[in-house]
Amino acid sequence: MTTDLDRLLLIRHFERALLDLFAKGELNGTTHTCLGQEIVPVAVAPLLGPRDHVFSNHRGHGHYLARFDDPAGLLAEIMGREGAVCDGVGGSQHILREGYLSTGVQGESLPVAAGAALHLRGSGALACAYIGDGTWGEGAVYEALNLAALWSLPLLVVVEHNGIAQTTPTAMAMSGNIGMRCAAFGVRHVALPAGDIASIRAVLTPLVASVRDGSPLVVEFSVNRLGPHSKGDDTRSGVSDLWDWYREMSDLPGFAEADTRALDLVESVVRDVKARPLSTWGQGSSDPRLLHGAKP
Ligand SMILES: Cc1ncc(C[n+]2csc(CCOP(=O)(O)OP(=O)(O)O)c2C)c(N)n1
């Protein structure tokens, strides 16, 4: 059985492996790790069902790994190897899978999620979009919130508020706050620390049930981004202090065994995927999800 701790540590070691592969020149493109933010998707994922649609962003590996038990498919996607989730077309930021879509374009997902929520309205399923605090600078976010409230859409917006957008501290870019902005549209807002998973779920379970009935909700988590924005672009000082908080995890019961399990798993996934041939993208994929007009 996979526990919450197993999932947290899988995400953590997966992300570290990516940074390591980049440092060795074995990955192309870019990547944005969610180190320090893993608790959010791990806490939220079990509240979502198979008919729900998840919309992720540029920092989405944790969102994917919390929803699907598929580190090899994701790494193959990022490395463009056989067995990739969507044939290596999307890479780190643009993943398409049944009920799951991510985009590297800030703010793009929310109107799309609102559209999916409109489609799902009345079915008991919902659309869940993960966005960062910096993405509240995109106007499309407000158009989506407006329609979500007006049309009673089953839309759940999960905000990972890490206080920084690339290199810009949130306080330099955001007037007011997220709660006030939600209130302007009559959208419910709840702020939670990204701490104890059981407490998060206890608060969110009834709220998510009401989202399914057409009452949109924004959940704002306070998190620490422990890594750089992408690979080496961290302009902050004092980030190492944040790692102290991260090390507190190691006091959790069963940590040492779970940590070894996750590390072993990630190491074997890296070995396996690196040995695979390149994906077939460019040689004519027959994957129907990639055909024009196909529905995810
Ligand atoms: C429309 C658009 N503008 C700019 C970028 C470049 N960019 C990528 S991530 C990012 C910052 C995002 O900040 P936030 O939403 O807070 O998420 P975080 O990276 O902190 O998780 C920026 C400016 C982009 N991807 N899309």
Side-chain angles (χ1 to χ4, degrees):
M1 193 192 70
T2 308
T3 65
D4 290 332
L5 186 57
D6 287 331
R7 257 188 222 295
L8 282 167
L9 292 169
L10 169 68
I11 296 170
R12 171 185 181 172
H13 286 298
F14 186 90
E15 298 283 52
R16 287 184 151 181
L18 289 187
L19 291 176
D20 185 49
L21 287 165
F22 259 110
K24 292 180 182 151
E26 295 187 53
L27 284 190
N28 296 316
T30 190
T31 198
H32 307 82
T33 71
C34 67
L35 287 164
Q37 307 188 178
E38 309 90 324
I39 275 182
V40 175
V42 170
V44 169
L47 304 178
L48 305 177
R51 291 186 308 123
D52 295 334
H53 284 241
V54 171
F55 294 85
S56 171
N57 62 1
H58 57 288
R59 205 175 294 289
H61 307 147
H63 307 153
Y64 183 87
L65 294 173
R67 183 154 172 88
F68 304 111
D69 197 10
D70 183 28
L74 180 58
L75 185 61
E77 182 61 36
I78 294 167
M79 298 191 83
R81 301 302 169 111
E82 240 172 42
V85 186
C86 42
D87 222 11
V89 175
S92 167
Q93 299 184 68
H94 299 100
I95 307 281
L96 171 65
R97 183 170 169 166
E98 190 83 18
Y100 186 94
L101 181 67
S102 66
T103 175
V105 183
Q106 275 185 276
E108 186 198 1
S109 66
L110 218 45
V112 180
L118 178 61
H119 178 72
L120 295 169
R121 192 173 59 178
S123 71
L126 58 75
C128 168
Y130 290 94
I131 62 173
D133 48 277
T135 299
W136 291 75
E138 290 290 337
V141 168
Y142 303 95
E143 297 182 31
L145 287 183
N146 183 53
L147 291 183
L150 213 50
W151 294 347
S152 302
L153 302 181
L155 178 67
L156 172 66
V157 181
V158 177
V159 184
E160 295 168 315
H161 191 154
N162 58 21
I164 189 160
Q166 198 150 357
T167 51
T168 307
T170 312
M172 285 180 67
M174 182 183 285
S175 161
N177 59 49
I178 292 172
M180 291 159 75
R181 292 170 183 217
C182 293
F185 293 99
V187 171
R188 297 176 305 159
H189 167 267
V190 58
L192 293 174
D196 178 57
I197 289 180
S199 314
I200 292 170
R201 292 201 190 123
V203 173
L204 288 188
T205 298
L207 292 173
V208 170
S210 61
V211 173
R212 297 184 186 286
D213 293 334
S215 198
L217 173 72
V218 173
V219 185
E220 179 184 350
F221 286 98
S222 311
V223 288
N224 290 313
R225 191 194 83 198
L226 296 182
H229 169 68
S230 50
K231 281 120 47 197
D233 49 353
D234 207 339
T235 49
R236 301 170 295 174
S237 56
V239 180
S240 58
D241 299 343
L242 299 176
W243 284 91
D244 291 340
W245 168 83
Y246 205 41
R247 275 188 284 272
E248 285 169 19
M249 256 175 78
S250 58
D251 292 336
L252 294 174
F255 179 89
E257 300 76 14
D259 194 54
T260 306
R261 261 196 317 274
L263 184 57
D264 289 349
L265 174 61
V266 168
E267 283 178 354
S268 85
V269 165
V270 170
R271 269 196 308 276
D272 163 25
V273 171
K274 268 168 67 171
R276 297 182 189 182
L278 291 175
S279 78
T280 52
W281 180 59
Q283 298 165 34
S285 172
S286 58
D287 186 334
R289 292 168 309 167
L290 302 177
L291 297 178
H292 178 69
K295 285 188 180 156

